[in-house]
Amino acid sequence: MTLFQIGAVILTLAALFAYINYRWIHLPTTIGAMIVALAMSLILVIVGETGQVGHEVIEQAKRMLERIDFEQTLLNGMLGFLLFAGALHVDLSDLASEKWDVALLATVGVVASTFIVGSLSYLLFQTMGLKVEFLHCLLFGALISPTDPIAVLGVLKTARAPKSLEVKIAGESLFNDGIGVVVFIVLLSFTRTESPITFGHVMLLLAEETLGGVLFGLAIGYLAYQMLKRVNNYQVEVLITLALVMGGYSLAMAIHTSGPIAIVVAGLLIGNHGRAFAMSDVTREHLDTFWELIDEVLNVVLFVLIGLELMVMPLDWKYLLAGGLAIPMVLLARLLSVGAMIQTLRFARSVDRGAIRILTWAGLRGGISVALALSLPYAIGESRSLLIATTYAVVIFSILVQGLTIGRLVKSVVGEPQASSNMKNVPDGPTVSL
């Protein structure tokens, strides 16, 4: 099959699953479509084990999915669009008021969680008789610690947490995936070289990726802002934002800075100063509609892909058991890392009631974790299959259980939902409406 044919099949399945969900399941579109995809994948796997015809079908489906480079499709394709669409509606003044909370959670919190998950998973795997190196466990900690902005931003549409908590959750999710990817890259470099990697080398890489990403995002965002100010044609202005995402993300990766961080920074600048000073009402309306549509379509496709990936996941019973046991372990690591950051902040400012519980449960994992797991090199041996299966189990639980219950947790902790105000001018129905 050609890549166009594969894309046509995936998009057709996404539309079909979304239709089935709308007519009969009545869950949020992305979650419902993913459940249908998971069910179909499971049925095909079972049928493939019991009959020759089913076996041929599952083998063809596997060959099609194996031609899709999930890492490239998400990390170097869809992610820039989804991050820009999310950042476009975050109020910069609200984000600035929570800057220290977001900074701690997205940096120190991610690093702390990486080492907690790595240590606990090493103990878990050793107890189960699964021989996995500690470095490989740290890789698992790095890929599973960042919360997924694609899933998390959708939670905010219906959870209606207190404003300050919403800003913390949104800000952390937008920035910590970039930090998590950098930590993952640093750890991965240890598996690919025999020569020692110095502390200075690690710090230089972190500075290039994070600080470089921020500065580059400001530069391309300001350039796009100046172009938008000089145009009063919504077709051209929408095209400028599209070029900003695609060209900016690609160039950021080419010069070895963080593409996700650069696009988030550019999106915040365009969504605030650009929206206020460089766009007419007509442009704002068309821009919101355009990015809402891009966001919704790519979200459905992404979650359908996550569901279909079940067909190519290793299904060894030990791996599945490890994945099930890793779920509370990852939640514990999230609780400890978030708790430490929030307790530190209590010395300087008041903290919302139930903040630790809500931030812990709202830390959804999604496609970014799956993409990083699938990017693990085959050179690490059987650890790769184990870590992929474990990641997949955590992600599925996170999306289906945490994503669908966070609203009830918020209500039980803080009372009746409050009006959300950190997401500006958000059109109805964008991203993952959990």
Side-chain angles (χ1 to χ4, degrees), residues 288-322:
D288 286 340
T289 301
F290 174 80
W291 283 104
E292 173 192 354
L293 182 60
I294 292 288
D295 200 23
E296 186 69 25
V297 170
L298 290 184
N299 265 286
V300 175
V301 170
L302 172 60
F303 278 70
V304 166
L305 277 174
I306 292 175
L308 294 177
E309 285 289 322
L310 177 65
M311 286 186 279
V312 294
M313 289 290 159
L315 295 178
D316 185 284
W317 71 269
K318 279 192 175 182
Y319 296 170
L320 296 177
L321 177 60

Side-chain angles (χ1 to χ4, degrees), residues 2 18 37 73 78 105 130 162 174 201 206 208 252 290 329 341 378:
T2 66
T73 301
M78 300 165 69
L105 289 168
L130 299 169
L174 283 170
H201 175 80
L206 287 172
E208 285 179 354
F290 174 80
M329 179 191 73
M341 299 304 103
Y378 287 94

Side-chain angles (χ1 to χ4, degrees), residues 230-250:
R230 290 163 172 76
V231 176
N232 187 21
N233 180 289
Y234 74 83
Q235 294 99 331
V236 175
E237 292 175 88
V238 169
L239 188 59
I240 288 172
T241 62
L242 191 59
L244 169 64
V245 174
M246 297 183 70
Y249 195 97
S250 299

